[in-house]
């Protein structure tokens, strides 16, 4: 027999990993674990424990404490007490602690890898070669950030006590993603690991003990969903960082809406894996193995939707089936295994149910004839072809080793199919034509795009989603900002409550019949003046009570029309930054020419001194954002692979803006200009103090070459229009600069499509202070970072 024939017929023998060290570690703890609070191991307040088991065998590994509200409270108290001491340490000392954590992770790498595999069911090759090295990488990388934090973020401070909730698919890696940046930026932490996979988090608590991390800096409380809920709702937690399902993300957004908690969410995904006809199909197939069968498909960014150009669909499917037939399923501790166990019976049942429903909806199911273990929770690698784009298996996250295949004809079709989902976490583009690959990558609504590669991660490169995949980033500079706040903002005073709007808008309350009305303006929608759908107006009065004029009373239909106009103005985002800057410069020029008349009218509402100051500062503010337009750009990261990661600042999309009432002109320009500068479109509700400014603004926009629909202005009662904007699923973000009650409404009403929310948290902002009211803080919220990974070299 030739060597080639032997290679083809060769079978892999078992290559078991010895679990002795992990079992010894479990026995040393009596196979029972309490919480890690204030640097010590504590018993649960209720005395309750739950079991964690090896999903590949069903055998119990240990009993773990069930956290209660009392346990969470004790952990938060410990973190709060430790916070000032941790924060005042020098940057170098904090960096040394993170460096020590990285070193200890490396020293215990084999124990951690085996423990992770036993608790989670993933193949030991993945735990050993991917997860644990990345854990160490995150602590090393953030040790560096801790060292240079004062120079790089001089005007920022830590959020405070951070509550972190992590999932079961990458237990220790998700812990590192959360804890490393939190500690580097001076926060203290209460972390709740997943109920199914708590063991490596408890092993990490032991590492914190080993390095002498100050008590209370890291606290770990185990438990089920009720434990996480208690952490989310605790009043003394300053930030929540959550990775998990979109459904739970919505619940957390709602639960934190009435508070000032900062929030970052990394949620579900249904990532497209796009293959063009010129792609290297052998590389594509290996990419698919990593994209959907890595960790049994239990990956939020798994390439679970295969989109193939029609001309290569048949040969690609044939190669995929051949490769699937060589995958090996078995004991996760076997180093020659590709497919490990599903984490829990609940998840296995979900996979089976969704696949059955997909078949019922017309999909063709194919599974290889490979040997599957008779014991444990296993599911074979599965290919579903002929999938309709609206099928449940094309729209819902299965979180299992299931690939749904569809075809497309043109790059435009591919983009449309790729974006045909509520999610936007990650994607892959495979093409030997770099022009095609990057052109498509720029159009995909996803936080990460891998070109001719898949599932690459690094601490230097931000990771996070668009749309219902959440908001915020983990890793990189943008990931650090999730754990920082501007110093001035944290200490800003609260605004007084706004006057309540009428319960109902009817003719008796709003159709004012006073004589001698000087001015009546219209709505501004799609670049045109428009009458309100309601047919009603509201009177505007000056400082001395005199009538200044009327503005339209906007309603739900007016907002709908404004959103449609904003969505149609997508060409604004596609224009170059230079061209957008020219339009903004032109605005500043035109406002300067009309300085006196605008100030004179504004003075009737707010006084001559403030009016003059607002117009002058407004001209300068427009000029500043014109300057920023082509300078707030991205970066190129150099991860430790043969790749570059292009971090692009992209516009969020359509933004609903509630303007501050205390500065009718300057406040409007301060919040709308950064939205425009970054290529977004806006639906703006102006200040109720002087909404007549609309008449001056739409004349300004009309004469400055701003495309119709880029800015749309709807006047009326802010509280009523905020509700419509926040609930509208075609609005991508809400900016609300108002009192605390309005801010809470913006958060709670926006959970339908999990739109991003940027607010003043009900705090007063000095709109005349450039350090507070202008610059990067606003621009960061007007953009989202997309990392496009591009390989290089042969």
């Amino acid at each position: 027999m030739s060597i080639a024939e032997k290679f083809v017929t060769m079978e892999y023998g078992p290559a078991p990993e010895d679990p002795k060290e992990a079992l010894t570690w479990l026995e040393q703890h009596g196979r029972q674990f309490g919480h890690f609070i204030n640097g010590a191991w504590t018993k649960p307040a209720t005395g309750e424990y739950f079991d964690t088991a090896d999903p590949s065998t069903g055998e119990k590994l240990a009993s773990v404490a069930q956290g209660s509200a009392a346990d969470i409270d004790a952990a938060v108290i410990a973190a709060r007490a430790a916070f000032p001491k941790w924060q005042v340490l020098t940057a170098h000392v904090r960096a040394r602690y993170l460096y020590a954590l990285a070193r200890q992770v490396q020293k215990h790498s084999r124990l951690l890898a085996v423990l992770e595999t036993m608790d989670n069911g993933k193949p030991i090759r993945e735990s050993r070669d991917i997860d644990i090295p990345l854990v160490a990488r995150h602590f090393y990388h953030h040790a560096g950030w801790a060292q240079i934090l004062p120079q790089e973020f001089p005007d920022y401070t830590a959020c405070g006590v951070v509550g972190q909730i992590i999932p079961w698919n990458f237990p220790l890696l998700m812990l590192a993603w959360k804890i490393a940046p939190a500690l580097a930026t001076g926060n203290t932490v209460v972390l709740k690991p997943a109920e199914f996979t708590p063991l490596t988090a408890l092993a990490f608590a032991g590492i914190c003990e080993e390095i002498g991390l100050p008590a209370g800096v890291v606290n770990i409380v185990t438990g089920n969903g009720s434990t996480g809920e208690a952490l989310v709702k605790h009043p003394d937690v300053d930030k929540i960082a959550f990775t998990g399902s979109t459904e739970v993300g919505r619940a957390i957004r709602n639960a934190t809406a009435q508070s000032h908690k900062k929030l970052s969410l990394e949620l579900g995904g249904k990532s497209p894996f796009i293959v063009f006809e010129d792609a290297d199909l052998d590389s594509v197939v290996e990419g698919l193995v990593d994209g959907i069968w890595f960790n049994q498909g239990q990956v939020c960014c798994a390439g679970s939707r295969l989109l193939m150009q029609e001309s290569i669909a048949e040969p690609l499917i044939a190669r995929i089936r051949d490769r699937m037939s060589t995958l090996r399923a078995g004991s996760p501790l076997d180093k020659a295994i590709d497919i490990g166990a599903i984490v829990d019976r609940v998840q296995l049942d979900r996979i089976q149910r969704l696949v059955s429903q997909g078949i019922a909806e017309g999909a063709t199911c194919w599974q290889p004839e490979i040997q599957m273990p008779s014991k444990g929770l296993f599911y074979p690698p599965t290919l579903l072809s002929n999938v309709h784009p609206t099928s449940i298996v094309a729209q819902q996250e299965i979180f299992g080793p299931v690939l749904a295949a569809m075809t497309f004809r043109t790059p435009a079709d591919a983009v449309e199919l790729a974006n045909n989902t509520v999610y936007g976490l990650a994607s892959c583009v495979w093409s030997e034509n770099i022009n095609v690959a990057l052109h498509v990558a720029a159009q995909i609504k996803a936080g990460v795009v891998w070109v001719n590669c898949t599932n690459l991660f690094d601490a230097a490169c931000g990771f996070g989603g668009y749309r219902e995949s959440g908001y915020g980033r983990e890793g990189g500079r943008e990931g650090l900002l999730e754990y920082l706040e501007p110093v001035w903002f944290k200490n800003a005073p609260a605004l007084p409550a706004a006057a309540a709007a009428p319960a109902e808008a009817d003719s008796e309350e709003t159709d004012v019949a006073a004589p001698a009305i000087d001015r009546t303006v219209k709505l501004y929608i799609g670049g045109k003046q428009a009458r309100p759908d309601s047919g009603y107006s509201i009177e505007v009065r000056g400082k001395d009570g005199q009538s200044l004029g009327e503005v339209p009373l906007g309603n739900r239909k007016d907002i709908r029309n404004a959103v449609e106009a904003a969505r149609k103005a997508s060409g604004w985002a596609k224009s170059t930054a230079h061209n957008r800057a020219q339009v903004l410069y032109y605005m500043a020029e035109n406002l300067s020419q009309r300085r006196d008349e605008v100030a004179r009218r504004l003075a009737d509402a707010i006084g001559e001194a403030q009016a003059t100051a607002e117009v002058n500062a407004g001209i300068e503010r427009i000029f500043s954002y014109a300057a920023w337009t082509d300078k707030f750009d991205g970066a190129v990261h150099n991860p430790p692979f043969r790749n570059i990661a292009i971090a692009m600042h992209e516009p969020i999309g359509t933004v609903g803006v509630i303007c501050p009432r205390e500065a009718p002109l300057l406040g409007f320009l301060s919040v709308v200009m950064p939205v425009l500068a970054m290529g977004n479109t806006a639906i703006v509700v102006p200040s109720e103090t002087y909404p007549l400014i609309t008449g001056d603004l739409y004349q300004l926009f009309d004469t400055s070459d701003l495309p119709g629909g880029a800015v749309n202005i709807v006047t009326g009662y802010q509280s009523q229009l905020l509700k419509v904007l926040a609930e509208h699923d075609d609005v991508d973000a809400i900016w609300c600069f108002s009192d605390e009650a309005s801010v809470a409404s913006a958060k709670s009403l926006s959970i339908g499509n999990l739109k991003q929310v940027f607010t003043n948290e009900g705090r007063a902002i000095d709109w005349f202070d450039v350090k507070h009211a202008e610059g990067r803080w606003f621009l960061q919220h007007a953009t989202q970072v997309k990392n496009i990974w591009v390989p290089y070299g042969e």
Side-chain angles (χ1 to χ4, degrees), residues 7 21 37 126 165 188 265 271 429 452 482-483 494 515 534 569 614 649 658 779 794:
F7 181 80
E21 188 177 349
I37 298 175
E126 296 176 8
I165 302 171
T188 53
L265 301 171
S271 300
V429 180
N452 294 334
E482 299 298 332
Y483 292 93
S534 69
E614 283 201 35
H649 285 159
I658 305 298
L779 295 167
E794 291 295 330

Side-chain angles (χ1 to χ4, degrees), residues 174-186:
M174 292 296 101
L175 176 149
W177 280 23
K178 295 280 192 293
I179 288 182
L183 297 193
T185 47

Side-chain angles (χ1 to χ4, degrees), residues 581 584-585 621-632 677 779:
L584 266 63
Y585 279 128
R621 191 125 310 154
I622 301 174
F623 213 86
S624 292
Y625 281 113
W628 272 112
T629 299
D630 59 357
K631 297 172 187 66
F632 187 73
L779 295 167

